[in-house]
Amino acid sequence: MSAGKAVGSIVTVAAILARATAYGVRAALTKRAVERLEKRYHDRAESAKYLSEAMTKLEVDEPTTTAYMEVFTLSEAMADNVQGIVGRADSLQANAQGLAEATEAEHGRMREANRTHTVKMADRQFIQPR
């Protein structure tokens, strides 16, 4: 990043804390979305299994019942794979929460010091980048 660009972009403590919190929120939303995906795969697997078993009792041809059982097997495998992603999403959410807490611990005291200081701050026009 160039020096001109670094000077031109001002980052505040509030912005850093807001981004850390937002990251945690997005991680939690991602985890919930992945959990819903896992549930959908399990639901579809159970539906395919039910249809395969019902068609077997109704003496539907074997290729059709076998195809539905394959859909069940593949859907269960996908649900298992998604379950691994849920575990990783748990880690992501925990890491994001830790990041937000660490950021608050590190930078929150600066925000508090800026809010409660008794030193007169420089005029904004004086500190504007040129």
Side-chain angles (χ1 to χ4, degrees), residues 8 11 29 37 53 61 63 66-67 86 99 109 118 120 126 128:
V11 178
L29 291 173
L37 180 63
E53 290 170 352
D61 62 293
T66 301
V86 169
L99 171 67
R109 58 196 164 121
T118 57
K120 187 175 190 290
F126 177 76
Q128 289 290 328

Side-chain angles (χ1 to χ4, degrees), residues 21-86:
T21 301
Y23 185 71
V25 169
R26 285 193 308 264
L29 291 173
T30 299
K31 179 185 174 218
R32 283 196 292 274
V34 172
E35 287 171 337
R36 285 191 308 272
L37 180 63
E38 178 188 16
K39 183 179 179 337
R40 279 197 301 263
Y41 275 117
H42 279 300
D43 290 348
R44 288 189 174 96
E46 287 304 312
S47 177
K49 182 178 180 184
Y50 170 80
L51 289 171
S52 177
E53 290 170 352
M55 284 188 270
T56 299
K57 288 179 184 175
L58 295 172
E59 299 179 2
V60 174
D61 62 293
E62 189 176 329
T64 302
T65 57
T66 301
Y68 274 92
M69 196 51 83
E70 284 180 33
V71 169
F72 162 73
T73 304
L74 292 172
S75 294
E76 281 295 311
M78 287 301 296
D80 291 344
N81 288 336
V82 172
Q83 190 172 31
I85 296 170
V86 169

Side-chain angles (χ1 to χ4, degrees), residues 11-18 20 99-115:
V11 178
T12 65
V13 173
I16 291 171
L17 294 173
L99 171 67
E101 290 169 2
T103 302
E104 177 66 38
E106 187 66 29
H107 299 289
R109 58 196 164 121
M110 287 187 276
R111 179 181 58 191
E112 184 62 23
N114 284 337
R115 192 176 65 74

